[in-house]
Amino acid sequence: MEKKTVDKTNVIDLFSRKPVNQSAKNQIIRLTPELDGMEMLYSNDSNSGKLYSMKVLCWALMSNGQVDALIPWLNKVVPAKELSDPLNGHWEGYYDSVHDQAFFEPPAHKVNELSEAAAYYTNSSANKDLIIQEITDTIGTHAVLTEDHFQTIVLVHITSWRLYNDGRIHAMIADEGKIDTTPVLIGDPCLIAAQEQKNFRYFFHHIIANKIKKGDPDAISAFTNLIEK
């Protein structure tokens, strides 16, 4: 029997309806907010035997069909299972505080929601800057900005997260000089991408951000250790 070579450019992704690009197999194509307070569990080698938790920002569907939670971590947004940090942090699972239950696979209802939404909102555009979704930040994420190598810092609340056609996710913050109306909502012209600002450094959970604002010595010490690494 004669073998036939399959042209990969003719292979269409089930959800995005676009040709499969092997180099972009983990591209994010759809988001759904986490509204029930589910958390990621993680550990690090510096405190063996301990588990830590962090609230899940949202759930993401990748172009290869996989689903994972997204976490603002250091200076990027990462899938929970790919977690890595300066203290050798490792993903350990997810936690549902409502049912006091740990689990290791994304919730079926989130997987179904993402799959159905991706199939419904088909997109054939090749424009990488096309905004696919914009979701509100529901976990109080802050961006850390500094213009003088951390001699002074500014903590800015993330208003929303914007998913682009090429899988990029930008944290949107308000440019105070351009605010015309309040509250600042999704799509407001005053919103700019935090990661594209030259003085952007990190993302912080609101609990840590508020402790730093209040001068909490433990939070300041942890922050100092981070920027010295």
Side-chain angles (χ1 to χ4, degrees):
M1 181 181 293
E2 181 182 356
K3 288 187 176 181
K4 293 184 178 180
T5 301
V6 177
D7 184 354
K8 292 182 179 179
T9 61
N10 291 329
V11 179
I12 303 299
D13 182 272
L14 176 63
F15 300 106
S16 67
R17 301 295 194 271
K18 298 178 182 178
V20 172
N21 180 347
Q22 291 300 312
S23 65
K25 64 180 181 178
N26 292 328
Q27 177 177 313
I28 296 171
I29 62 173
R30 193 73 193 173
L31 305 175
T32 183
E34 172 49 55
L35 301 175
D36 296 303
M38 290 190 181
E39 303 172 18
M40 174 193 71
L41 299 175
Y42 69 99
S43 61
N44 65 57
D45 294 347
S46 296
N47 293 282
S48 59
K50 289 186 177 181
L51 280 180
Y52 302 89
S53 69
M54 179 174 289
K55 288 189 178 297
V56 168
L57 170 66
C58 61
W59 300 87
L61 174 65
M62 317 299 177
S63 56
N64 62 2
Q66 294 181 349
V67 172
D68 198 0
L70 294 187
I71 307 293
W73 191 265
L74 296 181
N75 61 356
K76 63 183 69 174
V77 181
V78 299
K81 292 181 180 180
E82 297 178 12
L83 179 65
S84 179
D85 74 7
L87 300 177
N88 296 314
H90 307 285
W91 171 81
E92 298 289 352
Y94 310 109
Y95 179 65
D96 178 357
S97 59
V98 174
H99 299 96
D100 190 23
Q101 180 180 359
F103 56 100
F104 303 98
E105 294 298 331
H109 65 284
K110 288 298 183 183
V111 175
N112 292 336
E113 180 183 345
L114 285 163
S115 299
E116 292 293 329
Y120 183 80
Y121 294 103
T122 56
N123 167 42
S124 59
S125 173
N127 178 10
K128 67 182 181 66
D129 294 321
L130 177 68
I131 300 171
I132 301 299
Q133 280 180 278
E134 188 168 352
I135 63 172
T136 301
D137 181 278
T138 59
I139 60 174
T141 313
H142 283 63
V144 177
L145 309 176
T146 180
E147 296 180 340
D148 50 17
H149 303 287
F150 297 103
Q151 296 301 309
T152 58
I153 63 171
V154 177
L155 292 163
V156 183
H157 174 249
I158 304 298
T159 298
S160 60
W161 298 86
R162 189 173 288 177
L163 171 64
Y164 290 89
N165 200 28
D166 60 357
R168 286 174 295 147
I169 295 182
H170 280 166
M172 307 305 295
I173 58 177
D175 182 338
E176 293 188 357
K178 297 180 179 179
I179 296 176
D180 291 326
T181 59
T182 58
V184 175
L185 302 176
I186 286 176
D188 194 296
C190 75
L191 292 176
I192 56 177
Q195 295 100 313
E196 293 190 339
Q197 308 310 304
K198 64 180 181 180
N199 53 350
F200 167 73
R201 294 297 181 271
Y202 296 114
F203 293 121
F204 274 166
H205 187 274
H206 75 98
I207 293 176
I208 302 300
N210 285 326
K211 285 184 176 181
I212 291 175
K213 290 177 183 178
K214 294 177 180 179
D216 180 270
D218 291 337
I220 295 294
S221 176
F223 178 65
T224 301
N225 289 335
L226 174 64
I227 64 177
E228 289 178 349
K229 290 186 179 295

